[in-house]
Amino acid sequence: MCSFRAGGAIRSLQAEGDVPCSQGVRYKVVNDCQWNSKRHPTDYPENAHWSPLCGTTHNSEASLFSIGESATDGVKLVAETGSCSILEDEVTSCSDDGNCGAFLKFPCDPFSGTCKSEGVVNVTEAMPYLSVLSMVAPSPDW
């Protein structure tokens, strides 16, 4: 239903613990969501839509979400309404603490089941991880 691609330097695919990048790397990030009645003809809703893709780069001290952990208010708001406003505040606070990069937001047509958004992400040795999220609505019952 949705693919996420990041194109950039091959060295970024090295396993954690390999020789780190000594300088920043820029990636073009493409979020390509194809939820439409042609591809998903059973029970496709008339009001299908995606929220913007939003998130940040960060170090190992920070995370937007973790398996087994409770979601932050910002992650909950993205999941429930598609709004990235509280998540942006959380990223700003994390950035002020030195654990996150800038807030990232790649918008798409909010009233369409298809969404192709793209932008540039700067990854550095200090901020080598990328966490992003988006909401699909209404939630499909698959």
Side-chain angles (χ1 to χ4, degrees), residues 8 10 20 24 40 42 46 49 54 63 68 74 77 80-83 85 87 96 103 105-106 123 134 137:
I10 293 173
H40 304 277
T42 305
E46 291 182 27
H49 60 281
C54 53
S63 178
L77 191 64
E80 293 172 357
T81 70
S83 172
S85 60
L87 186 68
D96 290 346
F103 177 71
K105 185 175 180 180
F106 307 130
V123 177
S134 179

Side-chain angles (χ1 to χ4, degrees), residues 43-63:
D43 299 324
Y44 180 76
E46 291 182 27
N47 60 341
H49 60 281
W50 296 88
S51 72
L53 184 70
C54 53
T56 188
T57 57
H58 56 90
N59 61 27
S60 61
E61 299 297 315
S63 178

Side-chain angles (χ1 to χ4, degrees), residues 28-141:
K28 178 180 179 182
V29 176
V30 178
N31 185 40
D32 190 8
C33 304
Q34 299 297 319
W35 186 31
N36 57 48
S37 59
K38 185 176 180 180
R39 290 173 151 244
H40 304 277
T42 305
D43 299 324
Y44 180 76
E46 291 182 27
N47 60 341
H49 60 281
W50 296 88
S51 72
L53 184 70
C54 53
T56 188
T57 57
H58 56 90
N59 61 27
S60 61
E61 299 297 315
S63 178
L64 294 186
F65 41 82
S66 297
I67 295 173
E69 299 293 324
S70 296
T72 66
D73 290 340
V75 170
K76 287 179 189 176
L77 191 64
V78 172
E80 293 172 357
T81 70
S83 172
C84 298
S85 60
I86 294 176
L87 186 68
E88 183 174 9
D89 293 341
E90 292 171 356
V91 168
T92 298
S93 177
C94 181
S95 182
D96 290 346
D97 291 341
N99 294 315
C100 290
F103 177 71
L104 305 168
K105 185 175 180 180
F106 307 130
C108 62
D109 181 357
F111 303 106
S112 170
T114 60
C115 169
K116 186 169 185 178
S117 58
E118 57 186 69
V120 174
V121 174
N122 295 306
V123 177
T124 65
E125 186 173 2
M127 304 290 172
Y129 302 102
L130 172 65
S131 294
V132 292
L133 61 152
S134 179
M135 176 207 69
V136 60
S139 180
D141 282 336

